[in-house]
Amino acid sequence: MTFSDVMTLISNWAIPLVVALVCFWAILKKVPVYSVFTEGAKEGFSTAVMIIPYLTAMLCAIGMFRASGAMEALGALLAPALDKIGIPAETAPLLFIRPISGSGALAVGSEIMDSYGVDSYVGRVAAVMLGSSETTFYTVAVYYGAAGITKTRYTIPAALCADVVMFLASAFFVRLLMGA
């Protein structure tokens, strides 16, 4: 049995085993599993309904940003500065869309890899950026919306600073470990 086979086996059985263990533990503790599960599902549904306005507003803003051409114009404007700090200018659309939308960032990353190749410096930097960052605005919209928080205070500036550091670190470490 190879390492890949073992990992596949673990990934196939991890969630069912955890669910079974939780149910077994609940039965031992005499917790009414089904009624607690349905109550949690009902609460999850009400949370989902509560965050729909936040998600709708965010998705509308993303659509306007991409459709207006502002993302491409901003990328072209920042390309010389990005090159000077070591971030490939070709990844500029990814820098803008990643904090906003995970699926949009995957689409942009896929376009970058189709254009430049997955083993190119640009493709590798894009892949590391995708794997090392979070969809800041989506996460804030979902979690703060679910909790009913309307003032984010320092959350977004701090998260965007972390994104900037991650973008710089991605380009630096790809260059350091894999060459430019």
Side-chain angles (χ1 to χ4, degrees):
M1 188 176 256
T2 66
F3 179 74
S4 177
D5 293 337
V6 171
M7 295 310 292
T8 301
L9 185 67
I10 290 172
S11 67
N12 287 342
W13 284 98
I15 292 176
L17 284 175
V18 168
V19 170
L21 286 172
V22 168
C23 289
F24 180 71
W25 184 258
I27 289 168
L28 284 177
K29 295 292 185 176
K30 301 200 187 313
V31 173
V33 177
Y34 185 73
S35 62
V36 169
F37 175 79
T38 55
E39 186 63 33
K42 186 168 66 171
E43 187 177 315
F45 184 74
S46 65
T47 300
V49 168
M50 189 170 59
I51 65 172
I52 286 174
Y54 300 100
L55 292 177
T56 303
M58 185 193 65
L59 292 173
C60 182
I62 292 167
M64 290 189 310
F65 182 60
R66 289 195 82 182
S68 70
M71 184 169 67
E72 290 79 13
L74 194 55
L77 183 68
L78 293 177
L82 291 173
D83 279 334
K84 286 186 192 234
I85 59 175
I87 296 176
E90 299 84 359
T91 62
L94 186 58
L95 301 176
F96 304 130
I97 203 72
R98 181 60 180 165
I100 301 170
S101 167
S103 58
L106 286 175
V108 169
S110 181
E111 291 170 11
I112 290 171
M113 290 178 205
D114 284 344
S115 299
Y116 299 97
V118 294
D119 288 330
S120 68
Y121 174 65
V122 174
R124 288 177 176 174
V125 170
V128 173
M129 286 177 176
L130 282 169
S132 303
S133 59
E134 180 57 76
T135 51
T136 301
F137 292 102
Y138 175 81
T139 304
V140 168
V142 169
Y143 290 114
Y144 279 32
I149 300 170
T150 57
K151 295 182 181 177
T152 62
R153 293 185 41 112
Y154 302 112
T155 304
I156 291 176
L160 291 176
C161 286
D163 285 341
V164 168
V165 169
M166 179 280 312
F167 291 136
L168 291 167
S170 295
F172 173 77
F173 282 109
V174 168
R175 190 176 321 108
L176 179 71
L177 300 173
M178 299 176 193

